[in-house]
Amino acid sequence: MKKVLFYCQYHLGMGHLVRSTEIIRSLAKEFKVCFVKAGTEIEGFDFPANVELVTLPLLLSENKQVKVADSSQNIEEVKESRKNLLLKVFDEFQPDCLTIEGYPFKKYQFEFESIPLLERVQATGRKTKVVCSLRDVVMAQAYENREAIIEKTCDRLNKYFDLLLVHSDPSFHRLEESFPQVQDIKCDIRYTGYVVQSSPENPAVPLEDLIDFNRKNPMILVSVGGGQLGHELLESILEASSVIKQLLPDYHLQVFTGPFIPNEKFLQLQKAAENKSNLTLRKYTSQLLAYMEKAELSISLCGYNTAMNILNTGVKSMMLPSNKDWEQKVRAEKMERLGIVKVIQPDDLKPEKLAKKIVEYLYQPVVKEFKDFEFQGAQKTAQFLKELLECKVAA
């Protein structure tokens, strides 16, 4: 059986981890898989049972610079430890294919370990095929040194990579819409379709979720992905909850802050949620897909996985694209043009205005433009890697 080493650095949220996990779940049916992950641990997160897991020592990222999670640690020692562990795993696992999530389109602050890993592949005579696993929208915003970064990305792809897999439906979003220098990329580019989250493999549902699922009230679901972004939406929802209770007395607000929310912010929200009988506040659930299927309305940011969950379940949705993630804005506006979601503008966050917009949209009949999205991204990824290793995909 061929072997795939999948390396995923998730430093800002859950999206990269969730998408990568769905991909390795599919890969494990065809390959022996080792998943190297680097990021904050998420209690209750569901990993495939038949995959070897390796966790690198934790480093955080802030303003595109890495920093230690524990101030007593020496950053250079942690970086060296991570690099050595990554190379050790590669040498011992001896993969037929190395798949790297996001890089070289993002995560340059982790080149202290990714470049040595890629150089190790080069030193073996490139017996190992190298693949980039990339989300749909990248580098959409204008920023300083953008042209230089794009040139650097193409150089890295052309030097080290055999295949670029874009996890998008090209009829909805093509790479060149946000990355204009596609013609400079020499390796093969394939669109897999979107990667959608599957239900947890563990059939046991946590008690907290059972309690929420058994509530008879119609539900409005509020979520912000990993929790490092979207605090303004959470604060507005909590402030608007009393108005929502007056306008929608039978409804219950189910709010998830995300597991990566700073503890101080969570405690602040928790205090604000006290004595609100129409609202439940929690950090995380492994059952978010089930909540979306049950909800009358979903209110969220527009990260990749949240957008896919909305498309997959068909739940009526309002979205506030994060002002710190331009890719969310691109995705949300396209979805709104198709009638799939209602975009919330920053000016809509005034509590009374937001409450009225929620009620208005909840009762508004929604006519969606039919769009048959390609949702076989995880399965197509396995297929493309199989073809690459059988030399059916040009490098």
Side-chain angles (χ1 to χ4, degrees), residues 22 32 41 79 101-102 111 114 120 131 150 189 268 281 283 314 330 358 368 376 388:
E22 289 307 316
K32 183 177 180 182
E41 293 293 319
K79 288 165 73 172
E101 199 283 324
E111 283 196 325
S114 56
R120 184 63 58 90
V131 177
I150 288 176
I189 303 171
Q268 176 188 331
L281 182 79
K283 273 191 179 181
V330 172
I358 288 170
K368 300 179 182 180
Q376 298 298 308
L388 176 67

Side-chain angles (χ1 to χ4, degrees), residues 72-318:
S72 68
Q73 296 175 311
N74 179 287
I75 189 166
E76 294 305 322
E77 290 178 358
V78 176
K79 288 165 73 172
E80 187 69 12
S81 174
R82 282 173 57 116
K83 181 192 75 175
N84 290 338
L85 178 54
L86 190 55
L87 293 175
K88 181 174 182 284
V89 170
F90 176 82
D91 290 342
E92 292 181 352
F93 190 65
Q94 295 186 6
D96 299 285
C97 176
L98 166 65
T99 300
I100 302 181
E101 199 283 324
Y103 180 81
F105 290 84
K106 303 174 75 71
K107 309 178 187 179
Y108 288 107
Q109 62 270 48
F110 293 93
E111 283 196 325
F112 66 86
E113 63 190 25
S114 56
I115 290 293
L117 177 62
L118 291 166
E119 288 292 340
R120 184 63 58 90
V121 174
Q122 297 279 63
T124 63
R126 295 193 68 157
K127 295 177 183 176
T128 299
K129 298 295 185 183
V130 182
V131 177
C132 171
S133 169
L134 187 68
R135 72 182 187 188
D136 55 346
V137 188
V138 291
M139 298 188 184
Q141 72 274 42
Y143 53 84
E144 189 178 357
N145 298 326
R146 184 173 186 264
E147 293 304 316
I149 294 293
I150 288 176
E151 183 178 348
K152 181 180 178 180
T153 299
C154 293
D155 288 344
R156 295 285 192 267
L157 281 167
N158 295 337
K159 182 177 181 180
Y160 295 114
F161 287 79
D162 298 290
L163 179 63
L164 168 59
L165 294 180
V166 183
H167 304 303
S168 176
D169 182 332
S171 68
F172 181 71
H173 188 84
R174 296 189 62 85
L175 181 59
E176 58 264 29
E177 293 181 59
S178 53
F179 188 86
Q181 272 67 39
V182 169
Q183 72 278 1
D184 295 333
I185 298 173
K186 303 287 194 298
C187 71
D188 200 25
I189 303 171
R190 296 294 179 97
Y191 288 90
T192 67
Y194 280 107
V195 176
V196 296
Q197 192 172 2
S198 57
S199 299
E201 291 181 352
N202 185 356
V205 178
L207 179 60
E208 282 184 302
D209 294 311
L210 286 174
I211 292 170
D212 292 335
F213 291 156
N214 287 329
R215 192 178 288 112
K216 302 302 181 185
N217 309 68
M219 180 203 305
I220 295 175
L221 174 66
V222 183
S223 62
V224 291
Q228 290 194 343
L229 305 174
H231 301 164
E232 68 279 18
L233 176 61
L234 297 172
E235 290 167 348
S236 183
I237 285 290
L238 262 64
E239 289 183 48
S241 61
S242 56
V243 182
I244 293 171
K245 186 175 182 179
Q246 294 173 8
L247 299 174
L248 299 168
D250 295 331
Y251 277 75
H252 192 82
L253 291 161
Q254 183 73 46
V255 182
F256 290 102
T257 67
F260 299 154
I261 190 170
N263 194 52
E264 183 180 344
K265 176 59 67 175
F266 181 73
L267 293 175
Q268 176 188 331
L269 294 171
Q270 202 172 42
K271 184 172 179 60
E274 288 178 358
N275 304 317
K276 294 186 182 295
S277 59
N278 67 329
L279 186 146
T280 300
L281 182 79
R282 290 173 53 194
K283 273 191 179 181
Y284 172 71
T285 177
S286 61
Q287 309 289 320
L288 189 64
L289 207 58
Y291 279 94
M292 282 202 172
E293 289 170 345
K294 180 178 170 60
E296 298 293 321
L297 177 67
S298 168
I299 303 173
S300 66
L301 305 186
C302 195
Y304 182 102
N305 294 293
T306 302
M308 293 310 103
N309 286 342
I310 285 166
L311 291 172
N312 199 20
T313 61
V315 63
K316 183 179 282 190
S317 302
M318 300 176 74

